[in-house]
Amino acid sequence: MDKVYPSAEAAVEDVFDGAVVAFGGFFSAGKPLELTRALAKKGVKNLTVVTQQVGTGNEEILELVEKGMIKKAICNYPFPRSATKGLEHPFEQAVRKGTIAVEVYPMGTFAEKMRCAGAGLYGFYTPTGAGTVVAEGKEVRVFSGVETILETALPLDFAFVHAWKGDHEGNLIYRHTANNYNNVMAMAGNITIAEVEMLSETGELDPNCIHTPGIFVKRVVEVGRPELWRVEV
Amino acid sequence: MSITAKKMILPETPPLEREMIALRIANMLQDGSYVNLGIGIPTLVSNWIEGRDIILQSEIGMLKTGPLAEGELIDQDRINASCQYVCELPGTSYFNIETSFAMIRGGRMDVAVLGALQVSATGDLAGWNNPARGLGNVGNIGGSMDLAVGARKLIIAMEHVTTGGEAKIVEKCTYPLTARACVDVIVTNYALIEVTPKGLVLKETIPGVTAEDIQNMTAAPLIIAEDLHEMEL
């Protein structure tokens, strides 16, 4: 089996208008920069983007904002931390104008919604968010005296992930905290595209060290080591 | 107009620096515990636990998070959840975000230290959405709701009143909640207050400040502990 694509552009070619696309990574760690740039270059409409945030330190996704490609963002920490910086931020401005809708989930719920989708489950009950605005409109159920709310699976049309090492069959290894959302998004993606810093021949990676087994990955692109990110929070 | 909009009367004694709030909390942590520190003052707690048998979890996916990294030790793939470059320690482990929140919701976190916008008389926490920002029901939830619900003990580190001089410890939160009845202890730049079934108990004040002074800047009734004493640092 060989899942290697010649370029990021070729790997994102079939992303369609209205698709749900997830982007792994957390600030400087594990962001699929090349796939995101390729998507911005391609240009599609009405995307629903699923990502930790579209705020500071996520400039590649901002390009999608500025090109008007996003209809909705599903996040857990969408905006810059500072309210003053937020006012100048293109994503926050788009949300204030109403041109981009935003849906926010607690971080653990955000991840678990994708884990469910990847694991063939349709929902789960969590105590997180009970009694808060997050619970509005959701089924409430009490287990062992604890109030929980029903959260549902979040399946993805495309998942863009970044790995340190990968092989031709899509087995992936992440580096340090660059794993973060990448594994769970890879699991939830109908079409998961992995950009890898180092592409290995199949059989070269230690099978004991694989984080994401290749069955979750449809395409692999080698992109090299990304430039150092300096993020101001 | 809610009681929280009222300007509180502050004593002439200067309040503690943020680092000293962090030190008081560090002294409260027991050796052998797993601890998660939120953004802001809570992060400063890490400056005071070097050499102690305390393991910091970072919800991005790192256990045994080391001190902040500088110079050549900076690695873009190794950050904490406050997006700071950190070091590794002997025994550090990395994992994906779904595992990270299994630790948090699953009751493995002995202590979480979070900041707050408001804490109520019954220990409700409001910390993720300041309505003044004008973004309605969306905001930066991040890991706060999961931590507030999942941690075995929740310590709040915050300034006693807002920069505008309004109370942050209130009868009932007027800001959107992070979680209900979740706070155990509040450490401010003036006092240490415990949340008990009977109400808020004032346990410690900084030198030069009386219980009456603390009540004057608190918009919820305080029970004075029998062993009320000066905060030792």
Side-chain angles (χ1 to χ4, degrees), chain B:
Chain B
M1 182 175 274
S2 69
I3 189 164
T4 55
K6 251 198 327 211
K7 274 221 169 190
M8 295 289 116
I9 307 154
L10 304 188
E12 280 175 17
T13 310
L16 292 184
E17 299 289 332
R18 292 153 59 90
E19 286 75 8
M20 293 297 112
I21 302 176
L23 172 59
R24 180 63 194 90
I25 291 170
N27 291 343
M28 212 185 296
L29 301 176
Q30 288 179 347
D31 278 335
S33 48
Y34 289 95
V35 177
N36 182 298
L37 304 174
I39 295 180
I41 303 173
T43 304
L44 300 173
V45 174
S46 63
N47 298 338
W48 299 105
I49 58 166
E50 216 183 307
R52 304 244 342 248
D53 184 19
I54 290 169
I55 292 183
L56 297 180
Q57 194 250 23
S58 185
E59 61 267 34
I60 185 174
M62 183 173 187
L63 203 51
K64 210 161 180 183
T65 305
L68 296 184
E70 280 169 17
E72 284 183 359
L73 290 173
I74 287 178
D75 186 319
Q76 63 192 357
D77 290 337
R78 193 187 296 118
I79 59 172
N80 64 20
S82 300
C83 309
Q84 296 164 310
Y85 300 111
V86 291
C87 296
E88 218 171 61
L89 294 169
T92 289
S93 60
Y94 300 109
F95 37 86
N96 57 48
I97 212 113
E98 57 276 27
T99 303
S100 178
F101 281 87
M103 295 172 187
I104 292 169
R105 284 188 313 260
R108 311 285 174 170
M109 216 49 62
D110 294 303
V111 180
V113 186
L114 296 176
L117 297 169
Q118 292 179 327
V119 180
S120 84
T122 53
D124 292 352
L125 166 65
W128 66 279
N129 187 350
N130 186 340
R133 193 157 173 180
L135 283 159
N137 271 352
V138 293
N140 295 333
I141 300 176
S144 64
M145 287 192 184
D146 297 286
L147 284 161
V149 162
R152 292 181 172 273
K153 181 174 183 175
L154 179 59
I155 302 173
I156 298 300
M158 67 176 195
E159 265 103 32
H160 204 98
V161 297
T162 67
T163 41
E166 293 156 24
K168 295 179 73 174
I169 302 171
V170 294
E171 189 76 51
K172 197 171 184 306
C173 295
T174 53
Y175 291 1
L177 290 186
T178 305
R180 292 174 304 200
C182 56
V183 176
D184 295 291
V185 186
I186 310 162
V187 182
T188 76
N189 46 356
Y190 287 100
L192 186 151
I193 296 167
E194 275 182 12
V195 183
T196 74
K198 287 180 182 167
L200 300 174
V201 178
L202 176 63
K203 301 276 286 186
E204 298 177 13
T205 58
I206 63 166
V209 169
T210 66
E212 199 188 343
D213 292 331
I214 303 298
Q215 183 64 78
N216 284 340
M217 50 181 154
T218 305
L222 294 174
I223 300 164
I224 313 300
E226 278 176 26
D227 62 341
L228 172 72
H229 56 276
E230 277 189 1
M231 193 182 283
E232 282 174 35
L233 292 166

Side-chain angles (χ1 to χ4, degrees), chain A residues 157-230:
Chain A
D157 294 317
F158 293 88
F160 290 3
V161 303
H162 179 96
W164 181 35
K165 294 178 180 176
D167 67 18
H168 284 251
E169 294 190 357
N171 295 304
L172 303 178
I173 299 175
Y174 308 104
R175 190 167 170 273
H176 307 329
T177 55
N179 184 334
N180 58 69
Y181 299 105
N182 285 303
N183 179 70
V184 83
M185 287 179 174
M187 286 176 68
N190 180 32
I191 296 177
T192 293
I193 311 172
E195 56 166 65
V196 302
E197 294 177 24
M198 280 180 277
L199 179 64
S200 301
E201 290 305 321
T202 299
E204 277 179 3
L205 298 179
D206 181 349
N208 291 301
C209 296
I210 305 297
H211 291 123
T212 302
I215 194 168
F216 291 115
V217 179
K218 287 270 199 307
R219 300 170 191 168
V220 177
V221 187
E222 187 176 22
V223 297
R225 181 94 181 128
E227 65 274 30
L228 176 68
W229 271 69
R230 293 223 174 246

Side-chain angles (χ1 to χ4, degrees), chain A:
Chain A
M1 217 177 274
D2 194 343
K3 301 177 180 176
V4 175
Y5 272 58
S7 66
E9 285 77 11
V12 305
E13 188 47 48
D14 59 349
V15 175
F16 50 86
D17 288 349
V20 178
V21 186
F23 303 78
F26 192 124
F27 286 83
S28 63
K31 283 190 298 190
L33 302 177
E34 294 306 325
L35 294 173
T36 311
R37 284 175 186 144
L39 184 63
K41 203 163 128 192
K42 173 183 155 58
V44 275
K45 288 189 215 116
N46 295 323
L47 292 177
T48 292
V49 300
V50 181
T51 172
Q52 145 106 358
Q53 42 89 265
V54 195
T56 323
N58 220 348
E59 277 67 23
E60 279 64 31
I61 293 188
L62 274 187
E63 209 179 323
L64 308 186
V65 173
E66 280 155 359
K67 289 186 170 169
M69 292 165 62
I70 302 175
K71 177 185 68 180
K72 183 179 176 182
I74 301 177
C75 308
N76 70 73
Y77 201 99
F79 307 113
R81 187 169 175 234
S82 137
T84 359
K85 279 186 189 169
L87 288 173
E88 298 157 9
H89 197 275
F91 173 69
E92 191 174 314
Q93 287 170 344
V95 172
R96 285 178 186 276
K97 267 190 285 182
T99 52
I100 297 179
V102 64
E103 208 170 285
V104 184
Y105 293 96
M107 201 163 162
T109 300
F110 176 81
E112 197 65 14
K113 281 167 74 72
M114 289 184 275
R115 200 197 67 83
C116 262
L121 303 174
Y122 291 86
F124 59 98
Y125 290 96
T126 176
T128 303
T132 75
V133 295
V134 169
E136 281 173 14
K138 291 172 188 166
E139 184 192 324
V140 174
R141 202 165 152 182
V142 176
F143 294 92
S144 313
V146 177
E147 192 176 311
T148 67
I149 57 176
L150 175 65
E151 295 281 6
T152 53
L154 173 57
L156 312 168
D157 294 317
F158 293 88
F160 290 3
V161 303
H162 179 96
W164 181 35
K165 294 178 180 176
D167 67 18
H168 284 251
E169 294 190 357
N171 295 304
L172 303 178
I173 299 175
Y174 308 104
R175 190 167 170 273
H176 307 329
T177 55
N179 184 334
N180 58 69
Y181 299 105
N182 285 303
N183 179 70
V184 83
M185 287 179 174
M187 286 176 68
N190 180 32
I191 296 177
T192 293
I193 311 172
E195 56 166 65
V196 302
E197 294 177 24
M198 280 180 277
L199 179 64
S200 301
E201 290 305 321
T202 299
E204 277 179 3
L205 298 179
D206 181 349
N208 291 301
C209 296
I210 305 297
H211 291 123
T212 302
I215 194 168
F216 291 115
V217 179
K218 287 270 199 307
R219 300 170 191 168
V220 177
V221 187
E222 187 176 22
V223 297
R225 181 94 181 128
E227 65 274 30
L228 176 68
W229 271 69
R230 293 223 174 246
V231 179
E232 223 181 287
V233 185

